[in-house]
């Protein structure tokens, strides 16, 4: 689904990521972990077109027989191919309603042009009705249909996270990147999030790549884990292998 080859990202004299490699298979939940400030979000920013890597390339294979070089594409072009993300700091349209936040995500797939939407031609009205129904469906799936008319900022923190994911799902992604989805959640919200991620993975046939500091989430739902330290991939494996890897223990706890 996603192949990252020798990706290096430099900011002046600072190397945020150095020769980073990853292969993510279709249908996997893959975690990217490491101490703060080691380059995890930089990896996401390169994959989604926020940054163009100094070296290396990112290749997206949404299905057999299709291959796209993401390197050099803009974020919207990458999203249209089926790669969408959420952010470490929630980025909702806070003054808009819950429904409108999800409705906006549908616009990536809209076929009508600006003129037909302004004049509200029949073709646009049909498409608008479909987007509305799709938005309601997604809100129901994430448990927010009863809150559809509320302002986004009025939702509890955990529900705002779900809303951001619902908006991402509206873009019809094949690969969903989640940047610290459990950040700021209490234990109950965290357990619900783990179940929620598994549910949407199956429901929407997703491949999921996530950054997370909450080890209960990482060890509980990830099939493969990548570990970064100072921009370098130091370990890769299943949860059991990562828990026992001495390099990972030293990266988190230091050397005695």
């Amino acid at each position: 689904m996603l192949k990252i080859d020798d990706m290096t990202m430099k900011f002046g004299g600072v190397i945020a990521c150095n020769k980073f490699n990853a292969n993510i298979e279709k249908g996997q939940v893959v975690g990217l972990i490491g101490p703060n400030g080691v380059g995890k979000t930089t990896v996401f920013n390169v994959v989604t077109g926020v940054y163009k890597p100094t070296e290396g390339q990112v290749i997206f294979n949404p299905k057999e027989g299709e291959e796209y070089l993401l390197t050099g594409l803009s974020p919207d072009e990458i999203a249209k191919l089926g790669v969408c993300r959420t952010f470490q700091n929630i980025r909702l349209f806070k003054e808009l309603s819950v429904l409108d936040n999800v409705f906006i995500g549908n616009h990536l797939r809209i076929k009508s042009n600006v003129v037909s939407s302004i004049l509200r031609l029949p073709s646009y009205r049909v498409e608008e009705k479909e987007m509305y129904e799709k938005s309601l469906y997604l809100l129901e799936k994430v448990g927010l249909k009863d809150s559809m008319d509320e302002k986004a900022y009025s939702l509890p923190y955990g529900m705002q996270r779900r809303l951001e994911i619902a908006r991402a799902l509206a873009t019809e992604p094949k690969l969903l990147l989640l940047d610290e989805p459990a950040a700021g959640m209490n234990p109950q919200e965290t357990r619900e999030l783990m179940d929620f991620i598994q549910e949407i993975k199956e429901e929407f046939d997703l491949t999921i790549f996530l950054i997370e500091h909450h080890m209960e989430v990482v060890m509980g739902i990830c099939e493969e884990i990548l570990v970064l330290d100072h921009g370098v991939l130091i370990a890769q494996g299943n949860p059991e292998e990562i828990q026992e890897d001495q390099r990972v223990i030293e990266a988190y706890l230091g050397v005695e």
Side-chain angles (χ1 to χ4, degrees):
M1 178 66 75
L2 186 74
K3 185 177 182 181
I4 304 174
D5 277 338
D6 287 336
M7 188 269 284
T8 297
M9 189 70 223
K10 298 179 182 178
F11 299 98
V14 177
I15 302 177
C17 286
N18 191 14
K19 300 292 183 183
F20 179 81
N21 290 278
N23 284 291
I24 298 176
E25 300 295 332
K26 184 179 181 345
Q28 279 189 316
V29 179
V30 176
L32 179 60
I33 68 171
N36 283 323
V38 297
K40 301 185 298 297
T41 297
T42 298
V43 171
F44 271 28
N45 285 338
V46 169
V47 171
T48 56
V50 177
Y51 300 147
K52 183 178 179 180
T54 310
E55 299 174 16
Q57 60 183 11
V58 181
I59 299 169
F60 179 53
N61 301 282
K63 61 183 181 181
E64 190 173 350
E66 288 186 355
E67 182 173 289
Y68 301 98
L69 180 65
L70 301 187
T71 309
L73 297 183
S74 64
D76 62 295
E77 290 172 326
I78 291 172
K80 285 178 181 176
L81 291 175
V83 180
C84 195
R85 71 176 293 183
T86 64
F87 294 87
Q88 181 178 350
N89 298 314
I90 297 174
R91 297 187 186 179
L92 294 171
F93 300 102
K94 295 184 181 293
E95 295 294 333
L96 296 182
S97 71
V98 169
L99 176 61
D100 284 341
N101 267 271
V102 180
F103 197 84
I104 286 170
N106 288 283
H107 281 259
L108 187 70
R109 302 295 175 192
I110 197 168
K111 297 180 178 64
S112 302
N113 58 32
V114 175
V115 174
S116 62
S117 63
I118 291 174
L119 298 178
R120 300 194 59 77
L121 298 179
S123 60
Y124 175 76
R125 292 202 301 272
V126 169
E127 211 167 13
E128 185 180 47
K129 184 174 183 292
E130 291 173 350
M131 290 191 294
Y132 178 77
E133 291 172 350
K134 177 182 168 185
S135 298
L136 289 182
Y137 172 77
L138 290 172
L139 287 176
E140 185 173 14
K141 283 296 177 184
V142 302
L144 287 173
K145 189 174 182 181
D146 291 342
S147 304
M148 58 183 283
D149 294 322
E150 296 179 23
K151 299 286 189 184
Y153 72 80
S154 70
L155 294 179
Y157 190 84
M159 292 296 102
Q160 289 189 32
R161 284 283 180 194
R162 286 183 175 235
L163 178 56
E164 191 177 35
I165 292 173
R167 184 180 61 189
L169 292 175
T171 70
E172 301 178 11
K174 297 177 179 68
L175 174 64
L176 179 61
L177 284 70
L178 304 175
D179 194 345
E180 296 195 36
M185 290 188 177
N186 61 42
Q188 177 64 28
E189 289 174 328
T190 299
R191 287 189 292 270
E192 290 174 355
L193 175 74
M194 292 169 66
D195 292 337
F196 174 63
I197 290 174
Q198 294 283 24
E199 288 168 8
I200 64 170
K201 173 184 175 291
E202 298 301 326
E203 173 76 20
F204 297 97
D205 192 24
L206 295 172
T207 302
I208 296 176
F209 190 20
L210 66 88
I211 294 171
E212 188 52 69
H213 284 290
H214 201 303
M215 287 301 106
E216 181 184 356
V217 175
V218 174
M219 298 301 169
I221 67 173
C222 292
E223 302 149 63
E224 187 87 2
I225 300 171
L226 310 173
V227 187
L228 269 183
D229 188 29
H230 294 92
V232 177
L233 184 66
I234 62 169
Q236 180 175 352
N238 61 43
E240 292 76 19
E241 292 169 336
I242 294 301
Q243 285 176 314
E244 297 173 0
D245 193 297
Q246 190 61 36
R247 294 167 299 176
V248 177
I249 295 170
E250 290 175 0
Y252 274 95
L253 302 178
V255 180
E256 187 175 352

